[in-house]
Amino acid sequence: MVRFQRGTAVVSSIAVPATSTAPFRQVGRYALFGEIASGGMATVHVGRLMGTAGFARTVAIKRLHPHFAKDPDFVSMALDEARIAARIQHPNVVSVLDVVTTDGEMFLVMDYIHGEALSRLIRVAVRDGGGGAPPRVAAAIVANALHGLHAAHAHQERRRDPPEGLHDAHPDAARRGHGERGGPAVARG
């Protein structure tokens, strides 16, 4: 059940593997675990950075669908967007930490944000008879998403990066009341 209380959605969330006992695929220095979400261009997995001396960090790993990973124009666009997102420091913008290419596949490693996808929160709230998010919550989510988009545009203007990808929005890009900017390469959720 989803309940919106003072701007916060309260739900259960995906369990993040704390150990390497769960089945995983090794991708560079990352362990790739189960799927979090899938869209038209990529699948997002929960992952773990497996560092030296027992250092580990939970991350989100976006794996481009094979036909996009083989398209040089799409790969170039995804890399450009990843470079832009990696340079922006803002609470409403997904941080891209690394890009891994191996065996014809492309993976974007991003900060993992604990929480539920906005689309799921709304779907469950509607199903449970709540009619969706209260207007104040919806307005706060949209405002936060716009703050993230503004940060991306402000960065683009300072750096004179190409604007492609900065206008893309993804309905699952906002979580836990924070509208995080996302696009085809780096959307959260």
Side-chain angles (χ1 to χ4, degrees):
M1 175 168 194
V2 174
R3 276 182 263 156
F4 292 95
Q5 302 174 34
R6 287 183 257 160
T8 303
V10 181
V11 295
S12 61
S13 190
I14 297 169
V16 178
T19 67
S20 60
T21 59
F24 67 93
R25 173 181 170 197
Q26 192 71 34
V27 177
R29 59 190 184 143
Y30 303 96
L32 186 72
F33 292 96
E35 179 180 311
I36 297 171
S38 186
M41 297 181 193
T43 300
V44 179
H45 298 264
V46 66
R48 298 282 290 172
L49 165 65
M50 308 304 277
T52 58
F55 178 82
R57 176 181 179 173
T58 301
V59 294
I61 301 176
K62 181 169 255 186
R63 181 177 51 94
L64 297 183
H65 293 319
H67 60 285
F68 287 115
K70 293 176 183 168
D71 179 342
D73 291 334
F74 189 86
V75 168
S76 177
M77 187 251 344
L79 287 171
D80 287 344
E81 188 170 341
R83 285 183 197 104
I84 292 168
R87 293 189 302 246
I88 300 169
Q89 298 297 311
H90 190 276
N92 302 106
V93 177
V94 178
S95 294
V96 176
L97 307 171
D98 198 2
V99 176
V100 177
T101 56
T102 182
D103 299 326
E105 290 186 285
M106 184 175 179
F107 303 86
L108 282 82
V109 180
M110 304 171 289
D111 277 334
Y112 176 82
I113 304 300
H114 184 75
E116 292 290 343
L118 178 61
S119 62
R120 182 178 185 288
L121 295 176
I122 300 299
R123 191 171 45 252
V124 170
V126 168
R127 182 194 69 209
D128 289 349
R136 294 182 87 178
V137 173
I141 291 168
V142 170
N144 283 323
L146 291 173
H147 286 299
L149 185 60
H150 173 62
H153 276 278
H155 176 78
Q156 181 268 334
E157 289 171 7
R158 284 192 309 271
R159 299 282 303 187
R160 298 178 188 250
D161 291 324
E164 287 80 26
L166 291 180
H167 295 92
D168 298 322
H170 191 281
D172 291 341
R175 294 178 185 239
R176 297 182 350 173
H178 291 50
E180 284 110 8
R181 185 250 175 232
V186 297
R188 288 186 179 173

